[in-house]
Amino acid sequence: MTDAATSTASTDARRPEASRRRTLAEQSTELRIAIMRLSRRLRQERSDTEISGSQFSTLGWIHSEGPLTIGRLAELERVTAPSMNRTVNCLVDAGYAERSSSPDDGRKVLVTVTEAGSRVVLETRKRRDAWIAKRYAALSPDERETLARATTILGRLIDQ
């Protein structure tokens, strides 16, 4: 250990709360980086490379939740309605989504997934699941159990 590292370690040993804060910060940073790298890598596994990640995410919501309004899609994606309108325009232009009037209120526009859009979602999910399953299978049973617990914990973090 260098003199500076020894000095820092001995100082931190005298102030356990400072050491703990730094350690939690470092762990938080490592977790953030790992999640971002995994997310970025999984996003590469898709069946259509012409649509953006946000467009695919929107298409996924429509596919999973059924017909949705622009406003609801904007809430789900945490963007403005005008931004979501542009995203939906791209999906409609690509043939992956359609707009229609709401049967309950003709002033509302509903966005639905087309058959082509559904194929893109299902194939992309299949590719992403296969990519992660291959890596998951290479882990030990203990590591898989740790990831199962971490998945639950990550879900709680997201919902906070």
Side-chain angles (χ1 to χ4, degrees):
M1 215 179 326
T2 66
D3 290 337
T6 304
S7 173
T8 302
S10 64
T11 301
D12 285 348
R14 286 178 274 155
R15 292 182 300 158
E17 69 284 350
S19 175
R20 183 167 186 270
R21 278 194 302 266
R22 191 188 57 148
T23 301
L24 288 175
E26 290 172 352
Q27 289 175 352
S28 296
T29 298
E30 289 172 6
L31 177 62
R32 177 185 53 79
I33 290 169
I35 289 170
M36 288 177 63
R37 290 183 67 210
L38 177 61
S39 179
R40 189 176 308 120
R41 181 58 187 89
L42 280 171
R43 283 193 306 267
Q44 292 174 359
E45 296 296 320
R46 57 186 190 190
S47 64
D48 182 333
T49 58
E50 297 300 313
I51 63 173
S52 71
S54 62
Q55 290 167 354
F56 179 80
S57 181
T58 299
L59 190 60
W61 279 114
I62 301 165
H63 182 267
S64 298
E65 301 295 321
L68 295 169
T69 64
I70 298 287
R72 180 64 181 139
L73 284 166
E75 288 173 16
L76 291 167
E77 285 293 303
R78 294 186 169 103
V79 298
T80 64
S83 175
M84 181 52 64
N85 195 47
R86 287 188 295 276
T87 299
V88 169
N89 285 342
C90 291
L91 293 173
V92 169
D93 290 347
Y96 295 147
E98 296 175 329
R99 294 173 191 258
S100 61
S101 295
S102 169
D104 301 332
D105 182 347
R107 295 170 296 172
K108 286 186 181 178
V109 173
L110 293 177
V111 183
T112 57
V113 68
T114 64
E115 191 173 316
S118 185
R119 280 194 306 272
V120 166
V121 169
L122 295 174
E123 178 59 29
T124 296
R125 288 178 180 170
K126 181 179 168 184
R127 288 180 186 201
R128 290 175 177 177
D129 287 346
W131 183 89
I132 205 157
K134 180 178 178 182
R135 282 132 187 99
Y136 201 77
L139 300 175
S140 71
D142 285 344
E143 289 171 321
R144 287 194 295 271
E145 179 58 33
T146 298
L147 281 179
R149 287 192 313 272
T151 300
T152 301
I153 295 166
L154 288 170
R156 284 198 326 255
L157 287 176
I158 292 165
D159 293 338
Q160 289 180 354

